[in-house]
Amino acid sequence: MLVPGYPALLSEIMADPSHDLRPERAVVFGHPTLSRPVLGALLGAEDVEVIVVDSTSSWPDAAGRAALTVPAATGDDRADSEELAARRTRVQAWRGAAASAARPLGWQVGAALAVWNASEEHDVLVLGSSSLVRDLEQHAGSTDARVIANRGLAGIDGTTAMATGLALAHRDHPGRVRLLVGDLTALHDLTGLIIGPEEQRPDLDVVVVDDDGGRIFGGLEHAAAPPALLRRFFTTPHGVDIAGAAASLGARTESVCTDELAGALAAPSRGIRVIVVQEFSRRRSSISRDGMVE
Ligand SMILES: Cc1ncc(C[n+]2csc(CCOP(=O)(O)OP(=O)(O)O)c2C)c(N)n1
């Protein structure tokens, strides 16, 4: 059973040992994500038996708790059991309650969902490592697009270069290639936008959700640090004009707010285009400073 919005569900049930949806067993296929709710809370829980499915001798046991490794999983008839049906009903009830208690989503989540919803069959969507991939993990539905993320490796280095390589590989295929990254990830690999004069030019939309620093650290254990330390060493606001910097490297650029993003994404585009998304108020102030709309 696929559980959309699973991170919030996992956080809730793993904090409550008597929760009626608490799992007895986790079956791991491939390398698990680095997400705390999965790696620490679920695979690290004493009362959850971890079974790793892997046919090689170097199986990933990320939490070091595998009770058993098996070369392959075979189906059995438990998929039709009453217990599974009852669990499905309880998960659906939880999702309904969570949806009605949900707070409005932030503008960054709105931007991530706009990119997700613009992605269709034949499109490729590359996700950087940041809050945005977690936003989509929590809030996005299913998609027919091909989604690629270095989740589990999780370095922010080389993300733009990886996306330009994927865009080049996709050149003779239908569909568009898009990269969705935060501003720190974009800045880390901005020179990945440079295409040498004798090289092929990829068609790639780079969507940068610019909230001036690493939002992700506000939701991790780093947030317990004194605010000045958190800011200086982790969230690292920078004030860089990313559209200006990208333009100087040869990319076409656009600056939008979340409400304008779907329209920008739908417009036809060739070559590398960098779309910088900022909160409405911040974008307006940069426009009035410059005295013109970019
Ligand atoms: C090479 C490398 N350095 C540092 C990190 C730690 N790190 C994880 S996400 C991130 C940046 C997050 O900021 P941003 O890209 O702006 O995304 P946001 O969380 O704001 O959406 C950093 C520095 C990393 N994953 N890889």
Side-chain angles (χ1 to χ4, degrees):
M1 168 174 42
L2 186 66
V3 185
Y6 80 89
L9 175 64
L10 262 188
S11 297
E12 184 180 320
I13 62 183
M14 298 319 294
D16 175 2
S18 58
H19 200 289
D20 67 348
L21 282 170
R22 194 172 174 94
E24 294 159 15
R25 184 172 298 127
V27 183
V28 181
F29 295 85
H31 283 266
T33 158
L34 286 183
S35 283
R36 271 53 163 187
V38 173
L39 203 57
L42 173 66
L43 300 182
E46 290 291 318
D47 59 339
V48 173
E49 181 189 39
V50 176
I51 298 178
V52 174
V53 182
D54 194 304
S55 58
T56 70
S57 58
S58 56
W59 60 85
D61 180 14
R65 289 201 57 257
L68 186 66
T69 62
V70 292
T74 51
D76 65 23
D77 55 9
R78 280 191 297 169
D80 298 324
S81 74
E82 279 177 25
E83 193 199 325
L84 193 58
R87 272 197 173 237
R88 185 172 285 130
T89 306
R90 294 207 298 276
V91 169
Q92 274 156 0
W94 177 87
R95 292 192 65 216
S100 53
R103 287 176 298 165
L105 302 177
W107 65 271
Q108 299 100 323
V109 184
L113 287 172
V115 179
W116 183 268
N117 293 333
S119 302
E120 301 174 338
E121 191 181 5
H122 305 305
D123 290 349
V124 175
L125 174 58
V126 185
L127 301 176
S129 303
S130 72
S131 305
L132 298 162
V133 67
R134 288 169 165 79
D135 294 337
L136 291 172
E137 207 170 37
Q138 181 59 41
H139 298 290
S142 59
T143 179
D144 290 326
R146 183 160 185 215
V147 181
I148 296 178
N150 277 338
R151 205 91 171 87
L153 299 174
I156 60 171
D157 44 329
T159 310
T160 307
M162 175 178 75
T164 55
L166 285 163
L168 284 174
H170 198 77
R171 266 170 77 92
D172 299 325
H173 299 271
R176 298 174 67 160
V177 183
R178 300 187 180 93
L179 168 66
L180 174 67
V181 282
D183 48 281
L184 291 188
T185 305
L187 286 171
H188 201 288
D189 194 27
L190 210 60
T191 51
L193 295 174
I194 300 173
I195 307 294
E198 291 170 33
E199 305 303 325
Q200 292 184 332
R201 303 194 74 75
D203 294 328
L204 173 70
D205 276 350
V206 179
V207 180
V208 183
V209 177
D210 178 11
D211 50 13
D212 198 22
R215 178 167 55 106
I216 192 167
F217 298 111
L220 299 181
E221 54 276 6
H222 308 66
L229 286 185
L230 178 67
R231 197 170 53 250
R232 184 167 173 221
F233 292 108
F234 295 106
T235 53
T236 58
H238 45 78
V240 171
D241 170 7
I242 293 177
S248 75
L249 299 177
R252 211 152 53 74
T253 63
E254 291 176 35
S255 293
V256 300
C257 58
T258 294
D259 289 350
E260 299 162 332
L261 180 56
L265 288 169
S269 176
R270 298 300 305 268
I272 297 183
R273 175 173 66 148
V274 175
I275 305 176
V276 180
V277 192
Q278 291 181 324
E279 194 173 14
F280 186 74
S281 57
R282 198 168 151 224
R283 178 167 123 70
R284 293 294 136 184
S285 68
S286 80
I287 287 167
S288 60
R289 234 190 2 254
D290 297 337
M292 56 186 285
V293 177
E294 292 136 299

